[in-house]
Amino acid sequence: MREELGNSGLPPDPQEMNPVGHLNLAFTQDEKAQENDKSEKKPDDSKSKDKKKKKKKSDKEKKEPVKAVGLFQLFRYATCPEVLLMLIALVCSAIHGAALPIMCIVFGSMTDSFVQSGQQFNFTGNYTFNISASGCVTFPGVDIEGSMTLNSYYFVGIGAGVLLLGTFQVMLFLLTATRQTKRIREKYFHAVLHQQMAWFDTHPIGELNTRLTDDINTINDGLGDKICIFVQFFCRFLAGIIIGFIYGWKLTLVIMSVSPLLAGSAAVWSKILATLTGKELSAYAKAGAVAEEILVAIRTVVAFNGQQKALEKYEKNLEDAKNFGVKKAITTNVSMGITQFFIFGTYALAFWYGTKLSVDEPENYSIGKVITVFFSVMIGAFSLGQGAPNLESVAKARGAAYSIYNTIDMPRPIDSSSKEGHKPDSVRGDIEFKNIHFSYPSRKDVKILQGMSLKVPHGKTIALVGASGCGKSTTIQLLQRFYDPDAGEVTLDGRDIRSLNVRWLRENMGIVSQEPVLFGTTIAENIRYGREDATDQDIDRVVREANAYEFISKLPDGLNTMVGERGAQLSGGQKQRIAIARALVKNPKILLLDEATSALDTQSEAIVQAALDKARAGRTTIVIAHRLSTIRTADVIAGFKDGEVVEQGTHRELMNKKGVYYSLVMQQTAGRSADDEAADENVSEGESLDDLSDAEHSDDLMDVTTANGGFARSSWRSISLRSKRSRSSSKSKSKRTNKAEKEEESVPDVPFSRILALNKSEWPYLLVGTLASFVGGGVYPAVAILFAKIIGVFSEPDPEVKRQKALMFSLLFLLVGAVAFLTFFFQGYMFGKSGEILTMRLRSQAFKAILRQDISWFDDHKNAVGVLTTKLATDASLVKGAAGSRLGLATNTICALVIAMIVAFFHSWQLTLMILACTPILTGANFIQMRAMAGHTSKDQSALEMSGRISTETVENFKTVVSLTKEDVFFRKFNDSLNKPYRSALCKAPIYGITFALAQAIPYFVNAAVFRFGSWLIAHCHTQFENVFLVFSVIVFAAMSIGQSSSFAPDFAKAKAAAGRILALLEKTPEIDIYSEAGDKPINFKGDIEFRDVHFFYPTRPNIKILQGLNVSVTQGQTLALVGGSGCGKSTSIQLLERFYNPAGGQVFADGMDTRGLNLAWLRSQLGLVSQEPILFDCTITENIQYGDNSRVVSQEEVVEAAISANIHNFISDLPEKYNTRVGDKGTQLSGGQKQRIAIARALVRKPKVLLLDEATSALDTESEKIVQKALDEARKGRTCIVIAHRLTTVQNADIIAVIQNGQVVEQGMHSELMAKHGAYYALVNAQVSH
């Protein structure tokens, strides 16, 4: 028992808890049966207490959200035949439940036969016995063997019945549950796919994946065998109480009077425990969130030397979790101890009163009856406790079903699967917006459109322009009916689009958005998502039209190249062109271009722009652009301001009006020839922030901007995003991930001594705990001996002696109870304390080790953020199970076994040998059932991973799926992925049913054998009946404790693996080690940087050479601009300078010293990095800016000064909380331009010698860009500066411009020199200016 409790004491994951509890409980049940005597009580009880505690807990949890579906509602998706099968299973389980109490009757009559044989003996007088020790005296009238044989047959009969009923009850329920679960999964996924966009704004994506995996698994548990097992226990309870009253009502009442005490104590402490568990989990959740935020932003942390700060923040949050863990361990064990004490007290009371009754009214109460009553009532009472957890899983399922069934039933006003709505035969393409008012459902108070009216005649191109957040993208979303306007209407060819069929409407529109989403399949398949029946010729044609033919034909697999998750293997420009091909393949009448070229570098942009101009011909086109030069040719340009269209006309008309459009154009071209307006490259992703509330955007937005950083960044970014999003799903996956990892990196086997060594500093705790368990091990054998002795008392002929002996043994029972209480307390306190200290130490060490790794380690998908956070959360707490508590468990078991063996052999070696021969069968039965159970869950988990991947990808890219009207395609993919797990689950049900029944039935068969042999021994004078009981109960108890230990074994295997993983992590020293003090720290650093013949490839993709002999240098105070196409290695060079990676060949010099010889922390502190998609932490603006210099405390004055120079001080001062405003997770409360300026302030605070600007203004709209550019020009003064830009106008005044192609510098010089050369630079500039 002990360990079972132990298990529940650590808060194991709920998933684990059930199986373990469940198994065990089967075990104890059996055991009960087996020994059916004293022992039974015990296990059970603790079980029950455990169970009760769980039950209470669940009630408690249920109280807060009282949202659950009704019990019968839970089964609403069952068909009639399934309902019938479930009813049959319930009947089987009801009959099965009565088996154990009936066995008590048999057991009681057996005891009577034994005692009679003993009494005859005593009457004959002790002398006779002594004299004829050699000869055997038998007495007429007592045919012990005959009556025992009959009882053994009863046992066998009951066992056979149990075997049959058990198999059916479990098998039928599992079969029906599997079928219903599959149905629910399909319905839920279908419902999610057809929800309206507003629903996604309020339901985080991670939550949906959790629902699909965890919640539906919870429902599966509730629909499965839990209900029939509950019925089985409930019937056992009824049968036990009824039999008790029939055989001896007085004793029954006495025993029942004590049970409220047991139940009460269990109730009280389960309440305490429930609150503690909740608090403990939330205490760690805080630390987990800290860890996750830091790992997602690992590059920022590394660039700003924030490791120490991160570690301190994490450790601070761990302290709480530790204190709660210790409290919980103590509470658990004290309460277990008290319950034990009460149970032994009950034994004492029952036997004392039983002997009293048998003396007072021998005609009604024989020993057999006392035992029958005692056991059937105890078993009955405990069954209630044991059944409770099963109810709990039903309650949990009802809770989980609430939100799932709700979603399935939710009315869907905009439903793409509905057949309703008009489908005109042809589309002309006249679009009109009439007086539209709109705000996003997730942010009702922010008005986006306020009376917007706009007409788009068919075949014309209309361009929407305006500052960030003025409602341009929103307009397009309304046209696609992602949302319906709050007031006003949108019409197509004169019909309100609300009257048209949603699916038909979307099929007639092609959209190319700012951050194109590709799915993780081949290029050809991605294009086919535009139109399923597209032929290869069609695809070939659109690929050429989209100017993507060239790069695709260079790929090794051509159109069959896999693009990676979210298209991570391609650069931004490549993804964009594939997205354009996908839009064109459906040959839409209406083309929507939302910033379609913003993420491209100049060359690709010119090409793509040409493709778009071709595509626009003859189609109604709506274009959104920040780069105004791209839309001069539009038929109508509409200027937006504050959610209204304030002016419209052609480029020339609007220029003459000198309104909104004019001012935007002037800002873009100010100070330059009108031609250069190309400048405004890479527009505002900021807009998407302000404008589109959904999280999706803010995320993707990070994705896109990466285009220019080329692959590396983009793939890295998408990994971290992915992990961020899949966080919740990563929880469910954690078990799986761990498994997968085991296969990948075979974890070195860690000897137990090594794990204990981790806990070395807590040795005093461990020592006391081990001593306590040693004493605890003796408790059970002691109980067994007392039990046998008490039965022996009944054969005393003299009533007085009987009374005195009964009193003495009853008091001894109480004493044993007190000892059990103490040992529990010490064990719990000592092991709990040492275990929690160990968990905390391991977590902080592991986190420190993770922060120490180099960037290439994070690039490896095995170390995705989700995987690492899971490691911190679960691995460390698993290890504690392997150290202290396991030591206690082993001591306990060994002690119990040794004592039991000695006692048993001493009293009757023949019977002992026979029982030992049966022990393997008993343990085997439980072991098989545990294995089956474990196999049962893990296989399903891994099989469901595939469907989890499909659902995640679909839901994350929901907007794209919807605008392509491909919901059904993904729904089919999802359903197909469910088939395999579904079939395997159907095959497993019968196997699981049989193993369950075997584990339940074997004890009956063993009992039959043991007592049959015992009666033979007594009849042939080889032993006395008291010894038979003694041997039997001692051994059964020992077997019980072994059974429990073996049930604990899988945890140990997991713990060992976890310890192996953690130790491997702690010992891993990265090549670029931030914790090392080695390296020079020059006193006066000027800031001369040189790249000499640098070669480089990303470690995760060794076959793609990024830099191939890069040579470029910049001296103090100069500005070096790196320009070139996407993926040419511009951002890579900055990462090498920051030493995120080491070059594969060549060297990077700072002030003439190889950067590899410099101290890493010192080097990074000299560099100020402003990257393209700055990551802010979820804390205040002040703290974010202070993060720039982690080596000291940055004063508020410096923060303000940096904010002023970054041009964001005024914005901050206007916020209600000024500098104490929290920026939200990853800075989502701010627009792109605002984040960018805070990032600039953060870089300036550290007063860097070298400023690195990686596309720092690309994500801004024209107005913000002007402001930020000015801030940057200020910041560059007197510093060495390396700038990467696609928008060439921003770098014309650089001292050196280096053009990079294929990883080499092809030409460098000033703007004027390079223009005169008519080389690569000239071509880039022209490409930007030409349109």
Side-chain angles (χ1 to χ4, degrees):
M1 191 67 244
R2 175 139 321 111
E3 66 277 8
E4 190 173 300
L5 289 185
N7 267 354
S8 38
L10 338 168
D13 350 22
Q15 243 146 336
E16 235 161 78
M17 199 147 172
N18 254 337
V20 175
H22 178 150
L23 299 177
N24 258 356
L25 90 92
F27 193 129
T28 50
Q29 226 153 297
D30 306 335
E31 233 68 275
K32 200 171 297 125
Q34 277 141 313
E35 80 267 27
N36 218 350
D37 23 54
K38 149 14 332 351
S39 71
E40 174 189 286
K41 197 74 338 59
K42 158 57 212 74
D44 248 325
D45 58 297
S46 66
K47 179 89 233 156
S48 71
K49 85 192 96 205
D50 201 324
K51 289 326 184 330
K52 282 187 200 127
K53 127 193 142 199
K54 286 193 202 144
K55 170 164 180 200
K56 297 271 155 24
K57 176 153 79 191
S58 77
D59 295 346
K60 171 115 198 267
E61 283 152 18
K62 280 280 105 61
K63 250 161 242 159
E64 289 119 38
V66 193
K67 294 190 170 163
V69 296
L71 184 61
F72 296 112
Q73 267 301 92
L74 188 60
F75 294 93
R76 62 192 261 194
Y77 295 110
T79 57
C80 288
E82 286 168 4
V83 173
L84 184 67
L85 291 179
M86 288 192 279
L87 290 175
I88 296 175
L90 288 177
V91 174
C92 290
S93 49
I95 305 173
H96 180 182
L100 205 56
I102 292 173
M103 189 172 107
C104 296
I105 301 178
V106 180
F107 191 73
S109 71
M110 212 164 64
T111 313
D112 276 348
S113 336
F114 275 141
V115 172
Q116 279 164 1
S117 74
Q119 276 171 339
Q120 305 296 117
F121 249 165
N122 285 347
F123 284 124
T124 12
N126 301 337
Y127 332 123
T128 341
F129 176 58
N130 293 344
I131 295 160
S132 61
S134 51
C136 177
V137 194
T138 46
F139 299 93
V142 181
D143 173 11
I144 175 104
E145 269 192 89
S147 65
M148 285 312 302
T149 309
L150 182 63
N151 283 332
S152 300
Y153 288 146
Y154 284 146
F155 270 149
V156 175
I158 296 176
V162 166
L163 190 59
L164 192 69
L165 295 169
T167 305
F168 277 105
Q169 77 181 51
V170 172
M171 178 176 83
L172 296 178
F173 256 104
L174 285 180
L175 288 175
T176 53
T178 307
R179 303 186 53 174
Q180 292 173 61
T181 308
K182 177 167 188 254
R183 224 167 279 144
I184 292 172
R185 259 184 230 283
E186 290 176 2
K187 283 190 187 303
Y188 181 67
F189 189 60
H190 184 267
V192 168
L193 277 183
H194 296 92
Q195 289 302 341
Q196 47 179 342
M197 205 50 87
W199 188 82
F200 282 87
D201 293 343
T202 49
H203 291 70
I205 294 185
E207 181 187 307
L208 299 177
N209 289 322
T210 317
R211 294 236 185 287
L212 263 175
T213 48
D214 301 6
D215 289 11
I216 294 188
N217 288 346
T218 309
I219 295 182
N220 189 21
D221 280 351
L223 295 172
D225 51 350
K226 300 291 192 285
I227 293 190
C228 64
I229 290 175
F230 174 73
V231 170
Q232 177 191 327
F233 282 123
F234 188 70
C235 293
R236 182 177 292 173
F237 161 73
L238 290 180
I241 302 292
I242 292 167
I243 290 175
F245 278 111
I246 294 173
Y247 279 80
W249 61 272
K250 281 188 182 168
L251 186 55
T252 305
L253 287 175
V254 169
I255 298 174
M256 286 179 73
S257 65
V258 189
S259 39
L261 192 62
L262 280 176
S265 69
V268 171
W269 71 271
S270 66
K271 240 194 171 52
I272 299 174
L273 199 74
T275 55
L276 285 178
T277 307
K279 284 196 184 133
E280 180 186 29
L281 294 176
S282 62
Y284 179 68
K286 282 218 287 285
V290 169
E292 185 180 11
E293 179 179 52
I294 286 161
L295 296 177
V296 167
I298 189 70
R299 294 183 176 224
T300 310
V301 173
V302 168
F304 289 101
N305 290 333
Q307 289 89 343
Q308 198 46 45
K309 212 178 227 183
L311 188 60
E312 284 161 15
K313 192 169 169 190
Y314 183 64
E315 286 176 344
K316 198 168 74 206
N317 283 304
L318 282 179
E319 192 59 46
D320 301 349
K322 181 192 86 173
N323 298 339
F324 277 121
V326 175
K327 268 190 210 156
K328 191 170 145 229
I330 298 171
T331 320
T332 316
N333 283 279
V334 167
S335 29
M336 268 164 45
I338 290 177
T339 314
Q340 289 288 39
F341 181 71
F342 283 148
I343 281 169
F344 289 137
T346 313
Y347 281 10
L349 177 68
F351 282 114
W352 170 78
Y353 189 64
T355 37
K356 180 173 176 317
L357 286 174
S358 71
V359 172
D360 297 349
E361 19 186 314
E363 64 289 349
N364 294 337
Y365 289 91
S366 65
I367 171 65
K369 282 196 174 156
V370 170
I371 283 189
T372 298
V373 171
F374 180 66
F375 282 124
S376 37
V377 176
M378 286 304 257
I379 286 175
F382 286 127
S383 312
L384 260 193
Q386 275 175 290
N390 295 299
L391 263 198
E392 177 182 351
S393 69
V394 176
K396 277 203 192 115
R398 288 172 44 202
Y402 180 80
S403 62
I404 286 183
Y405 289 1
N406 241 8
T407 305
I408 295 177
D409 299 338
M410 200 179 253
R412 307 195 280 268
I414 307 181
D415 180 3
S416 56
S417 64
S418 82
K419 300 274 177 276
E420 293 166 22
H422 187 58
K423 299 188 181 179
D425 300 332
S426 63
V427 184
R428 288 193 44 185
D430 290 318
I431 300 170
E432 185 175 359
F433 293 88
K434 300 182 185 162
N435 195 21
I436 296 202
H437 288 263
F438 177 72
S439 54
Y440 283 101
S442 53
R443 296 193 306 197
K444 275 292 177 208
D445 48 331
V446 183
K447 293 271 179 286
I448 306 283
L449 298 178
Q450 313 184 20
M452 193 269 298
S453 297
L454 181 64
K455 247 199 173 88
V456 186
H458 68 98
K460 293 284 202 283
T461 296
I462 183 162
L464 312 181
V465 297
S468 279
C470 66
K472 304 185 298 291
S473 300
T474 308
T475 312
I476 287 191
Q477 298 195 44
L478 289 175
L479 181 58
Q480 292 181 81
R481 260 199 99 192
F482 282 170
Y483 302 96
D484 279 336
D486 301 337
E489 60 172 2
V490 183
T491 62
L492 171 61
D493 294 350
R495 291 193 181 85
D496 185 330
I497 59 170
R498 281 174 285 202
S499 68
L500 299 172
N501 178 283
V502 181
R503 187 173 186 141
W504 175 88
L505 173 73
R506 290 177 186 160
E507 278 172 347
N508 280 292
M509 295 182 185
I511 174 154
V512 181
S513 62
Q514 178 173 11
E515 58 272 350
V517 170
L518 299 184
F519 295 97
T521 163
T522 63
I523 294 179
E525 278 306 297
N526 265 301
I527 295 174
R528 276 215 176 88
Y529 279 134
R531 187 172 99 229
E532 277 164 74
D533 51 9
T535 60
D536 292 343
Q537 288 79 16
D538 292 342
I539 290 185
D540 201 57
R541 191 190 76 243
V542 295
V543 164
R544 288 173 193 275
E545 283 183 23
N547 279 326
Y549 184 75
E550 196 182 322
F551 89 83
I552 294 178
S553 53
K554 282 189 193 151
L555 296 168
D557 304 330
L559 281 167
N560 297 321
T561 308
M562 296 295 283
V563 299
E565 191 177 17
R566 300 172 68 91
Q569 303 294 321
L570 304 175
S571 75
Q574 294 164 344
K575 283 201 286 199
Q576 196 61 293
R577 283 175 282 171
I578 290 174
I580 292 171
R582 179 172 70 189
L584 295 180
V585 78
K586 52 162 105 165
N587 195 6
K589 274 284 182 289
I590 300 170
L591 191 59
L592 309 175
L593 306 175
D594 183 357
E595 292 278 3
T597 59
S598 68
L600 309 183
D601 56 83
T602 329
Q603 283 168 305
S604 352
E605 195 217 348
I607 304 175
V608 174
Q609 191 61 49
L612 291 174
D613 291 342
K614 255 192 298 194
R616 292 188 338 208
R619 297 189 168 104
T620 306
T621 311
I622 298 184
V623 186
I624 292 185
H626 275 140
R627 206 173 312 155
L628 304 180
S629 49
T630 57
I631 55 167
R632 295 169 86 159
T633 55
D635 300 306
V636 184
I637 294 173
F640 273 67
K641 191 165 182 191
D642 301 335
E644 295 179 74
V645 175
V646 289
E647 57 181 19
Q648 43 183 316
T650 60
H651 172 70
R652 186 159 282 132
E653 293 164 16
L654 295 181
M655 286 304 279
N656 296 336
K657 261 201 188 161
K658 304 211 157 113
V660 174
Y661 179 71
Y662 175 80
S663 64
L664 288 169
V665 173
M666 291 328 285
Q667 282 173 342
Q668 284 196 6
T669 53
R672 314 209 175 108
S673 63
D675 266 60
D676 275 1
E677 46 194 274
D680 198 52
E681 223 264 32
N682 233 11
V683 257
S684 141
E685 254 97 341
E687 129 146 46
S688 57
L689 265 193
D690 288 8
D691 182 335
L692 303 181
S693 64
D694 27 343
E696 213 155 300
H697 268 270
S698 53
D699 283 7
D700 293 350
L701 118 78
M702 299 184 177
D703 228 11
V704 190
T705 30
T706 60
N708 358 352
F711 277 132
R713 185 129 26 78
S714 82
S715 59
W716 162 70
R717 157 58 59 227
S718 58
I719 292 170
S720 70
L721 275 179
R722 203 33 221 80
S723 56
K724 163 79 178 159
R725 288 189 155 153
S726 63
R727 164 167 176 198
S728 57
S729 61
S730 78
K731 290 194 189 113
S732 63
K733 286 191 202 129
S734 66
K735 304 209 178 57
R736 293 175 252 167
T737 345
N738 293 348
K739 224 169 268 144
E741 260 159 27
K742 266 175 228 161
E743 282 131 36
E744 284 162 29
E745 15 158 342
S746 52
V747 176
D749 205 28
V750 186
F752 183 53
S753 54
R754 180 86 197 272
I755 296 180
L756 271 183
L758 289 172
N759 227 336
K760 202 158 48 199
S761 43
E762 285 78 51
W763 69 268
Y765 291 119
L766 292 177
L767 186 68
V768 178
T770 311
L771 286 175
S773 5
F774 191 75
V775 177
V779 168
Y780 280 120
V783 169
I785 297 169
L786 286 177
F787 181 72
K789 292 287 184 205
I790 278 198
I791 289 179
V793 170
F794 279 87
S795 61
E796 270 298 333
D798 178 359
E800 264 319 297
V801 179
K802 222 188 213 181
R803 279 219 167 103
Q804 284 165 1
K805 281 194 168 176
L807 186 62
M808 176 182 81
F809 286 130
S810 303
L811 290 173
L812 282 175
F813 257 130
L814 273 182
L815 181 66
V816 171
V819 173
F821 171 70
L822 290 174
T823 60
F824 262 118
F825 173 74
F826 280 111
Q827 248 178 298
Y829 179 69
M830 300 302 166
F831 291 142
K833 184 105 172 151
S834 66
E836 292 296 334
I837 294 176
L838 174 69
T839 303
M840 178 169 160
R841 182 181 324 128
L842 283 181
R843 275 186 181 145
S844 76
Q845 284 181 353
F847 190 57
K848 185 172 177 185
I850 289 174
L851 290 177
R852 172 188 195 174
Q853 302 307 321
D854 47 23
I855 299 288
S856 57
W857 185 79
F858 288 96
D859 289 340
D860 184 341
H861 68 92
K862 287 202 293 253
N863 305 314
V865 181
V867 177
L868 298 176
T869 48
T870 307
K871 253 190 192 170
L872 288 171
T874 55
D875 285 5
S877 57
L878 280 174
V879 177
K880 84 179 158 200
S885 38
R886 180 156 194 272
L887 194 66
L889 194 68
T891 323
N892 205 322
T893 313
I894 293 168
C895 176
L897 270 184
V898 172
I899 296 179
M901 288 297 117
I902 295 174
V903 171
F905 273 106
F906 180 77
H907 283 90
S908 166
W909 61 270
Q910 304 97 322
L911 189 57
T912 305
L913 288 178
M914 169 167 174
I915 294 181
L916 284 182
C918 298
T919 318
I921 305 179
L922 281 177
T923 20
N926 285 296
F927 188 68
I928 293 172
Q929 194 192 351
M930 289 189 35
R931 286 268 59 114
M933 183 72 170
H936 177 69
T937 47
S938 66
K939 280 217 191 68
D940 295 355
Q941 283 301 354
S942 60
L944 286 171
E945 288 216 86
M946 186 63 211
S947 57
R949 270 217 294 285
I950 294 172
S951 61
T952 307
E953 183 175 53
T954 312
V955 175
E956 288 193 346
N957 305 324
F958 184 71
K959 274 208 159 110
T960 310
V961 174
V962 171
S963 52
L964 293 169
T965 62
K966 284 293 162 278
E967 296 95 338
D968 299 350
V969 178
F970 285 94
F971 180 56
R972 278 201 302 274
K973 263 170 85 173
F974 180 75
N975 284 2
D976 297 344
S977 68
L978 289 178
N979 286 332
K980 211 173 111 219
Y982 170 67
R983 281 197 295 273
S984 76
L986 291 183
C987 305
K988 285 217 281 293
I991 300 172
Y992 181 51
I994 292 167
T995 51
F996 169 80
L998 264 179
Q1000 303 276 325
I1002 287 182
Y1004 293 91
F1005 301 138
V1006 174
N1007 285 343
V1010 170
F1011 286 110
R1012 174 70 190 79
F1013 182 58
S1015 61
W1016 181 88
L1017 289 176
I1018 293 175
H1020 294 88
C1021 290
H1022 290 296
T1023 184
Q1024 282 177 294
F1025 85 97
E1026 196 179 297
N1027 296 350
V1028 172
F1029 271 102
L1030 200 147
V1031 171
F1032 181 66
S1033 52
V1034 161
I1035 293 189
V1036 162
F1037 269 108
M1040 257 172 53
S1041 63
I1042 295 174
Q1044 280 160 1
S1045 322
S1046 69
S1047 76
F1048 203 57
D1051 287 344
F1052 182 60
K1054 272 195 199 148
K1056 256 178 98 156
R1061 286 196 294 270
I1062 286 188
L1063 291 168
L1065 177 61
L1066 298 182
E1067 287 158 10
K1068 190 170 161 36
T1069 323
E1071 186 189 352
I1072 304 177
D1073 185 2
I1074 184 70
Y1075 293 159
S1076 90
E1077 289 299 316
D1080 304 329
K1081 303 185 183 177
I1083 309 297
N1084 44 5
F1085 176 66
K1086 301 206 295 290
D1088 299 343
I1089 306 293
E1090 179 185 0
F1091 288 86
R1092 193 177 297 165
D1093 195 27
V1094 176
H1095 288 261
F1096 179 73
F1097 54 81
Y1098 283 102
T1100 46
R1101 285 190 305 226
N1103 48 355
I1104 302 178
K1105 300 272 183 284
I1106 306 280
L1107 299 181
Q1108 310 179 30
L1110 179 77
N1111 283 298
V1112 66
S1113 62
V1114 54
T1115 54
Q1116 178 182 9
Q1118 281 188 321
T1119 296
L1120 163 69
L1122 304 179
V1123 298
S1126 276
C1128 66
K1130 305 185 297 289
S1131 300
T1132 306
S1133 48
I1134 283 196
Q1135 301 196 31
L1136 290 175
L1137 179 56
E1138 280 271 6
R1139 276 200 75 200
F1140 285 169
Y1141 305 95
N1142 280 333
Q1147 294 161 297
V1148 181
F1149 294 99
D1151 277 7
M1153 292 169 284
D1154 186 328
T1155 51
R1156 277 179 279 197
L1158 296 171
N1159 176 282
L1160 189 57
W1162 178 86
L1163 169 70
R1164 287 181 184 158
S1165 65
Q1166 304 302 316
L1167 310 172
L1169 174 67
V1170 181
S1171 61
Q1172 174 174 17
E1173 61 274 346
I1175 293 192
L1176 302 184
F1177 294 98
D1178 188 2
C1179 51
T1180 64
I1181 292 179
T1182 302
E1183 289 167 300
N1184 267 303
I1185 295 178
Q1186 286 173 332
Y1187 199 82
D1189 194 342
N1190 287 311
S1191 53
R1192 60 197 175 97
V1193 177
V1194 179
S1195 68
Q1196 185 65 33
E1197 288 72 58
E1198 288 178 83
V1199 169
V1200 175
E1201 183 187 336
I1204 292 172
S1205 38
N1207 231 322
I1208 184 138
H1209 178 68
N1210 298 340
F1211 160 73
I1212 299 176
S1213 312
D1214 295 343
L1215 294 169
E1217 300 183 14
K1218 312 228 177 344
Y1219 281 87
N1220 294 325
T1221 308
R1222 293 186 76 82
V1223 300
D1225 184 24
K1226 291 214 197 82
T1228 40
Q1229 302 296 319
L1230 306 173
S1231 76
Q1234 294 156 357
K1235 284 203 291 201
Q1236 195 67 55
R1237 282 175 289 169
I1238 288 179
I1240 293 171
R1242 176 169 71 187
L1244 295 179
V1245 147
R1246 67 196 311 180
K1247 309 207 167 52
K1249 290 287 191 305
V1250 181
L1251 195 57
L1252 308 176
L1253 307 176
D1254 182 355
E1255 291 279 2
T1257 61
S1258 67
L1260 310 183
D1261 56 80
T1262 327
E1263 293 179 69
S1264 344
E1265 193 220 348
K1266 271 279 150 339
I1267 305 175
V1268 174
Q1269 192 58 51
K1270 211 162 86 197
L1272 291 175
D1273 292 341
E1274 282 297 295
R1276 294 195 328 216
K1277 289 186 185 150
R1279 291 191 169 94
T1280 308
C1281 186
I1282 298 181
V1283 186
I1284 292 183
H1286 274 139
R1287 213 174 300 162
L1288 304 179
T1289 42
T1290 57
V1291 296
Q1292 289 183 3
N1293 53 3
D1295 302 299
I1296 309 170
I1297 295 175
V1299 183
I1300 301 180
Q1301 273 177 4
N1302 302 328
Q1304 293 176 308
V1305 174
V1306 289
E1307 56 180 28
Q1308 51 178 322
M1310 310 266 296
H1311 173 70
S1312 50
E1313 296 165 17
L1314 295 178
M1315 286 303 279
K1317 266 198 192 163
H1318 286 264
Y1321 180 71
Y1322 177 80
L1324 288 169
V1325 173
N1326 269 356
Q1328 278 197 9
V1329 170
S1330 62
H1331 26 257

